[in-house]
Amino acid sequence: MSSYKRKSDRKLVFTEEILKDAKERIRRGQSQRSVAESLNVPESTLRKRLKAGTVPCSLGRFSNVFTPELDSNLAEHCRRLDLCFYGLTKKELGRVAYDLANKNGLNHRFNNDKKEASKKWVENFARRHNFSLRQPEKTSLARAAGFNRVQVQRFYDNLKQVLTTFKFVGRQIFNMDETGLQTVPNKLPKVYAKKGKKIVGKVVSAERGQTVTAVCCMGATGIFVPPALIFPRKRQKPELMDGAPEDSLQLVSDSGYMNSDLFIIWLNHFIKMVKPSKDEPALLILDNHSSHLSLQAIELARDHRVVLLSLAPHTSHRMQSLDTGFFGPLKKAYAVACDNWQVSNPGRAITQYQVARLFGTAYLKVGSIDRAKKSFESCGIWPFNDQIFSDEDFAPANVTDRPNPTAETSSTGEALNSSNLAVELPLTTTETVTQVVSSPIPVNTNISAPVIALSQLGGTETLESTDNHQEVITTPENDEPTPSKSSFLRPEDILPLPKSNIQKKRNIKRKKSEILTSSPYKNQIEAGQKEKEEKAKKTKKTSNKNKSTTPNRPTLLETSTGTEVVRCPLCAEVYVEPPDEDWIQCSQCGAWWHDECSDYLGFGVFKCDVCLG
């Protein structure tokens, strides 16, 4: 790597415009000296350029490797790869630059042994095009592919449907989600340490902490429903909630995570705090986790005038208000509270009994009306804005896009459109609303985002090969043919935009945004549940039939004293032919037992009570 540093700040200031202006002034009778003074150009330089009739293109004997057009194309290609979450590293950019120069037959000073551009060239290229070396965040393939235009637009269509049907306003719209709180926070606040020190430590409670789940819910106008905490234990203890926000709900589960039964308890808590009514129902937006999709939860919500709307799968990081604007600051505030407690209580470890107090401190600090409003606005939920995301935001999904031969349909098979939007919500046990009422929805028109063509991001452009046909131009000064600018291989030819070629169809039924309390979805859940019950009954019936046709029974052997006698060790009943019930043999002692008299569960190796001792 060269360590050369420029010794002056000279720049190319003599342009074609200056030369034309100087010629025009001299033609009008002005002297060359006065023209040079007025244009702030040395007189010798002006005389030299007037004599040659050209302008300088460089300051020294070195020239740029790429033409300005090719250099800009390479920078634009880097931006497109970054939009698709396939950004180039420093080494990869150097290799692409080397291949681009080498295959276009351009003179370069790149390293032919390593086959990559120098580090200095890469840094200068990044400086010219306003690039910086950044540490990317890990993004799963499911999130990159799941956040696509079709899934997102379906959610906004469903949201528009319920907003117009029930005339929801901001105070009736809520979002709920769960997040994990660990006794050992993942991120610690920064501390001051000696410059150059290799290891900077900070005392925490343990190597790995326990996870307590916090269930939060906030409204579009800044209303916060008291949170719930799910502890990984068997029984509840009142002291676990010391210091928690007022009216918080305590829940317990074996894993410490949400399940269907706990969600029904939380939903009752939500109904108690929000108090939805016939005149003012509530809209609850939540993710499509399996614990939220039970039939009991749907029926409970319908009975209490709560409309449940699920998000599209793998889109909560961009479309869920709690994820975009609340949980991040909450985790930081919780980490600071844990650090402060650790400093105030040296030698003690944070346990489940301190989580509620630390969480309460962070929750009260972060929860604000302004933060809630901005969180809902950033997702386009309220005020309603279904154009909040631009084509650049969906660029990562273009990698796995496949043509869809059929139109996206709703759960009832009807295509979603603005002219046929209806939802059913029971107002009483016998009364149902199915009429669509049009009402104005507040739309945020102040949000603008850059738009880029999908053809530029998806790699759908077809590139013609230039290996066999090249346009050749000649100049009077140099009779040697040189390739024209249009015949250069572009960066897309060297490193194409990523595109998945996997065409395998999976039999998994993919989830999508749904109005969970609508009658079509409820009927679909009921039908699925009945199908599972019938399948279970059929499997059990077949199993019992196989048992009755081919019973498990001992084989009676003939001995010198007569036929062998087999008795059940528990009931002492003698085995007779043909048997009227199943028998099972101990794998250790060989004794035969009635299947009903044993404690065999139907799988694994059977050992009788005598052998188990």
Side-chain angles (χ1 to χ4, degrees), residues 121-132:
W121 184 93
V122 173
E123 291 175 353
N124 290 335
F125 175 82
R127 191 180 299 109
R128 286 196 304 272
H129 297 285
N130 197 25
F131 288 148
S132 62

Side-chain angles (χ1 to χ4, degrees), residues 240-514:
L240 289 171
M241 298 298 289
D242 290 345
E246 189 175 356
D247 293 329
S248 296
L249 178 66
Q250 181 184 6
L251 301 171
V252 294
S253 69
D254 294 340
S255 61
Y257 300 122
M258 177 67 79
N259 55 45
S260 299
D261 296 333
L262 294 184
F263 179 70
I264 293 175
I265 299 174
W266 181 89
L267 192 56
N268 281 307
H269 172 71
F270 172 81
I271 295 169
K272 177 183 176 182
M273 294 298 170
V274 177
K275 295 181 175 59
S277 62
K278 177 179 178 179
D279 297 330
E280 283 198 3
L283 171 62
L284 182 60
I285 300 173
L286 67 174
D287 57 35
N288 52 11
H289 190 265
S290 58
S291 61
H292 305 156
L293 308 179
S294 66
L295 183 61
Q296 294 82 355
I298 293 174
E299 291 176 344
L300 177 63
R302 287 167 61 95
D303 292 341
H304 291 85
R305 290 89 180 178
V306 177
V307 179
L308 299 180
L309 175 61
S310 68
L311 294 163
H314 307 296
T315 61
S316 59
H317 63 295
R318 299 295 302 274
M319 300 178 64
Q320 184 149 247
S321 305
L322 285 167
D323 278 341
T324 58
F326 184 76
F327 281 156
L330 178 67
K331 291 290 186 69
K332 291 181 181 178
Y334 176 75
V336 172
C338 290
D339 182 66
N340 293 340
W341 189 92
Q342 201 76 56
V343 173
S344 303
N345 300 272
R348 292 183 58 187
I350 298 176
T351 63
Q352 295 182 12
Y353 293 92
Q354 286 80 40
V355 170
R357 186 177 299 278
L358 298 174
F359 168 73
T361 302
Y363 187 84
L364 297 177
K365 181 179 179 180
V366 173
S368 65
I369 296 176
D370 186 57
R371 189 183 300 277
K373 288 183 176 180
K374 288 182 178 179
S375 298
F376 276 85
E377 183 179 349
S378 66
C379 300
I381 295 176
W382 191 265
F384 179 78
N385 182 14
D386 59 349
Q387 301 299 321
I388 190 71
F389 300 111
S390 66
D391 291 336
E392 287 187 359
D393 298 316
F394 300 114
N398 293 334
V399 178
T400 55
D401 271 355
R402 294 199 301 263
N404 187 8
T406 59
E408 185 70 19
T409 58
S410 62
S411 58
T412 59
E414 298 180 356
L416 290 172
N417 55 70
S418 58
S419 61
N420 185 22
L421 296 175
V423 65
E424 296 184 7
L425 180 70
L427 300 181
T428 63
T429 55
T430 59
E431 186 179 5
T432 305
V433 175
T434 58
Q435 183 179 2
V436 176
V437 182
S438 61
S439 64
I441 303 173
V443 178
N444 190 348
T445 59
N446 296 326
I447 299 177
S448 61
V451 178
I452 184 168
L454 284 174
S455 60
Q456 296 178 357
L457 296 174
T460 57
E461 298 176 332
T462 57
L463 303 175
E464 297 181 359
S465 175
T466 58
D467 295 335
N468 300 328
H469 303 284
Q470 288 190 348
E471 182 183 353
V472 178
I473 59 174
T474 60
T475 59
E477 295 82 1
N478 184 9
D479 293 336
E480 295 181 2
T482 59
S484 68
K485 293 182 180 180
S486 60
S487 66
F488 281 144
L489 286 175
R490 296 186 296 174
E492 293 88 340
D493 303 322
I494 306 298
L495 182 65
L497 291 173
K499 195 68 178 178
S500 174
N501 295 323
I502 299 176
Q503 300 294 335
K504 182 180 178 181
K505 293 184 178 180
R506 302 171 66 183
N507 295 326
I508 300 176
K509 188 174 181 180
R510 298 183 181 276
K511 295 181 180 179
K512 48 194 172 184
S513 173
E514 298 283 0

Side-chain angles (χ1 to χ4, degrees), residues 562-604:
T563 306
E564 180 185 11
V565 177
V566 177
R567 294 178 182 271
C568 174
L570 183 65
C571 63
E573 183 178 335
V574 178
Y575 172 80
V576 293
E577 290 282 0
D580 53 357
E581 54 184 321
D582 289 341
W583 290 67
I584 187 170
Q585 187 178 26
C586 175
S587 61
Q588 185 168 339
C589 65
W592 285 91
W593 291 63
H594 279 128
D595 192 20
E596 295 295 333
C597 295
S598 69
D599 57 355
Y600 185 57
L601 300 177
F603 56 87

Side-chain angles (χ1 to χ4, degrees), residues 485-551:
K485 293 182 180 180
S486 60
S487 66
F488 281 144
L489 286 175
R490 296 186 296 174
E492 293 88 340
D493 303 322
I494 306 298
L495 182 65
L497 291 173
K499 195 68 178 178
S500 174
N501 295 323
I502 299 176
Q503 300 294 335
K504 182 180 178 181
K505 293 184 178 180
R506 302 171 66 183
N507 295 326
I508 300 176
K509 188 174 181 180
R510 298 183 181 276
K511 295 181 180 179
K512 48 194 172 184
S513 173
E514 298 283 0
I515 304 173
L516 303 180
T517 48
S518 63
S519 295
Y521 186 80
K522 179 176 177 291
N523 296 337
Q524 180 182 342
I525 294 296
E526 289 176 344
Q529 189 168 340
K530 288 181 181 179
E531 184 179 352
K532 287 182 180 180
E533 292 175 356
E534 291 177 358
K535 187 176 181 180
K537 289 181 181 179
K538 185 177 180 180
T539 304
K540 185 175 181 181
K541 185 176 179 180
T542 305
S543 177
N544 293 336
K545 183 178 179 180
N546 292 336
K547 282 186 177 181
S548 61
T549 55
T550 57

Side-chain angles (χ1 to χ4, degrees), residues 586 588-589 593 599 606-613:
C586 175
Q588 185 168 339
C589 65
W593 291 63
D599 57 355
F606 168 64
K607 290 185 179 181
C608 64
D609 296 340
V610 177
C611 296
L612 292 176

Side-chain angles (χ1 to χ4, degrees), residues 228-239:
L229 295 176
I230 306 176
F231 293 91
R233 54 187 301 115
K234 293 288 187 181
R235 297 178 179 85
Q236 296 184 2
K237 280 190 175 183
E239 53 267 30

